[in-house]
Every structure is written in structure tokens, then in C-alpha cells.
């Protein structure tokens, strides 16, 4: 059994490829959406809900997992760290899937940020900040002194936990856009216009995350775009690299 840490559209391709190679596949996803994608891709077993390090260790042991492929979001650093540690503990092969990166355009209105806190500081140049960064780091923006008095519009997944987090942090319901992405260029522009945004904040989440459409739609409207760089993962691999390596380690 191979465990795919899922939750993204990328994981669907990873699971499908593993099944085509003849592997039995288990998948884990935090959200119902991610779990549904894993089932649709043909996973033999799907765990829905968060897995802490101890839970993950138990899952790996109980289901006889022989290797782990981490296809979570590039910014899902907590589960990635837990998975690395669990695999070290059990001496299991661990592979970090690398989502294809986007070559960002060179544009004076496109500003890179090394962290969410830096992005919040840069966003203060606007009055209406449209956040497409999810809820995990939303507090970096709602508590940033530089953004006091600014209007924050947040685009989040249509999940109860996401909506509850927004309300907990004081986001007015009229400033919550609950929608499952990725969104088209046209829809992104319509949303920016609807809320009269002058700054858009996004993450460098790769082609699968629809970041190209988010950025280009904003730049073409003359908006400032702040892009949070993804964490460095020098050992990450493409799926084409993972598959032969997986076969080699499982034959030992």
C-alpha cells in the first residue's frame, strides 16, 4: 500500500498514475473536497480529516504502508513536517511531489513577499485588499497594524471550517467569497471589480492553483499584486522522477 497525502488536484494525477502502475493506494485529505478527488481518482482507501504525527504513525502501521508520497499543497508545511518525521521513525521511503512552478511575469506592480507577514505589510499600500491565500494564515492580515482600517475581502473554500475561521477573525460576511477554485481569468476580474479591490494577495501555488489567472487578471486591471513565495523544498521531485524511484526502493 502506498499512501498519498492528498487534498489537491495534483494528488488526483498522482493517485491515477500509481493505480495505472498496479499499486494499491491509500489517500489522506483534510477536506471533504480533497477526499472526494482522491476517491474519484481511484484510491483504494481514503481517510478524511486531519492527521497529527501520532495519528499518521498509527495509520502507516495499521495499513501496512510501504511508502509515502506527499502531494499536499506547497504551503502545507505542518503535514509535510509530520510526514517526514513519521517516515524517519518507521524508516519508510518518503517522496515530496513538486507541483509545477509558474514563471511569474516581470511587472512593476507585481511584488514578491518572503512571508505572510511581509505580504501584509506590502498590502498596506491599498485600501481594499483581496486575499486569495486561504484561512490558515488569515490572522497575519487581520491583526497586522499596517492593515488597521483597511477592507479585507477573503476568497476561501466553501467549507464550514473556513467560514467559521473568517467569522472568528472578524471578517464581515459580505467580504467572504466562498468558492472552489481554480477560477478563470474572467471570473477573477469580475470578483476584483465587484469588490473594488486595489491590491490582490496570492500564493505562488503553481499552475494547478490557478495563480496565473489570478495574477494576470489583476495586472490587466491595474491592480497591485503581492505573491508569497513558496517554501523552499530542494528535495522535491516530479512525478516522472518519483515513479521509477518508488519501484526501485520497493524492490529492495
Amino acid at each position: 500500500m502506498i499512501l498519498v497525502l492528498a487534498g489537491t488536484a495534483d494528488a488526483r494525477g498522482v493517485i491515477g498514475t500509481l493505480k495505472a502502475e498496479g499499486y494499491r493506494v491509500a489517500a489522506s485529505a483534510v477536506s471533504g473536497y480533497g477526499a472526494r478527488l482522491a476517491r474519484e481518482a481511484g484510491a483504494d482507501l481514503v481517510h478524511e480529516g486531519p492527521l497529527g504525527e501520532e495519528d499518521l504513525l498509527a495509520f502507516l502501521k495499521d495499513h501496512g504502508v510501504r511508502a509515502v508520497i506527499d502531494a499536499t499543497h506547497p504551503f502545507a508545511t505542518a503535514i509535510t513536517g509530520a510526514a517526514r518525521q513519521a517516515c524517519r521513525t518507521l524508516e519508510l521511503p518518503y517522496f515530496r511531489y513538486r507541483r509545477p512552478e509558474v514563471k511569474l511575469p516581470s511587472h512593476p506592480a507585481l511584488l514578491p513577499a518572503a512571508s505572510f507577514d511581509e505580504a501584509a505589510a506590502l498590502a498596506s499600500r491599498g485600501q481594499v485588499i483581496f486575499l486569495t491565500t486561504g484561512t490558515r494564515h488569515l490572522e497575519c492580515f487581520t491583526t497586522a497594524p499596517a492593515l488597521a482600517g483597511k477592507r479585507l475581502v477573503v476568497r476561501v473554500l466553501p467549507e464550514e471550517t473556513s467560514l467559521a475561521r473568517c467569522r472568528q477573525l472578524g471578517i464581515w460576511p459580505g467580504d467572504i467569497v466562498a468558492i472552489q477554485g481554480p477560477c478563470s481569468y474572467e471570473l477573477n476580474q469580475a470578483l476584483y471589480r465587484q469588490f473594488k479591490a486595489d491590491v490582490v494577495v496570492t500564493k505562488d501555488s503553481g499552475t494547478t492553483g490557478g495563480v496565473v489567472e489570478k495574477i494576470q487578471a489583476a495586472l490587466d486591471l491595474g491592480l497591485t499584486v503581492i505573491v508569497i513565495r513558496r517554501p523552499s523544498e530542494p528535495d522535491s521531485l516530479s512525478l516522472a522522477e518519483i515513479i521509477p524511484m518508488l519501484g526501485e526502493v520497493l524492490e529492495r
Side-chain angles (χ1 to χ4, degrees), residues 79-147:
I79 182 59
T80 291
R84 289 180 186 274
Q85 183 56 51
C87 287
R88 280 194 293 267
T89 299
L90 298 179
E91 298 183 340
L92 291 177
Y94 168 90
F95 301 94
R96 179 56 165 138
Y97 169 78
R98 181 175 64 245
R99 176 182 280 193
E101 296 189 49
V102 172
K103 182 174 175 56
L104 299 177
S106 177
H107 194 287
L110 194 154
L111 309 176
S115 67
F116 288 88
D117 288 334
E118 183 182 356
L122 290 171
S124 64
R125 64 190 61 204
Q127 293 301 314
V128 180
I129 295 92
F130 197 104
L131 301 173
T132 68
T133 51
T135 58
R136 187 178 300 275
H137 299 279
L138 181 56
E139 193 169 359
C140 293
F141 298 92
T142 59
T143 61
L147 297 181

Side-chain angles (χ1 to χ4, degrees), residues 28-31 35 47-51:
S28 172
V30 173
S31 70
H47 172 86
E48 181 180 335
L51 281 175

Side-chain angles (χ1 to χ4, degrees), residues 13-91:
V14 173
I15 293 167
T17 299
L18 290 171
K19 292 297 295 179
E21 292 287 329
Y23 292 106
R24 293 189 69 240
V25 180
S28 172
V30 173
S31 70
Y33 170 71
R36 190 187 77 193
L37 289 180
R39 292 189 186 96
E40 290 174 352
D44 299 285
L45 172 68
V46 177
H47 172 86
E48 181 180 335
L51 281 175
E53 189 173 327
E54 292 302 317
D55 295 328
L56 182 55
L57 280 169
F59 186 94
L60 296 173
K61 293 175 184 176
D62 293 346
H63 296 286
V65 172
R66 301 175 64 200
V68 174
I69 299 177
D70 182 353
T72 56
H73 195 280
F75 286 82
T77 54
I79 182 59
T80 291
R84 289 180 186 274
Q85 183 56 51
C87 287
R88 280 194 293 267
T89 299
L90 298 179
E91 298 183 340

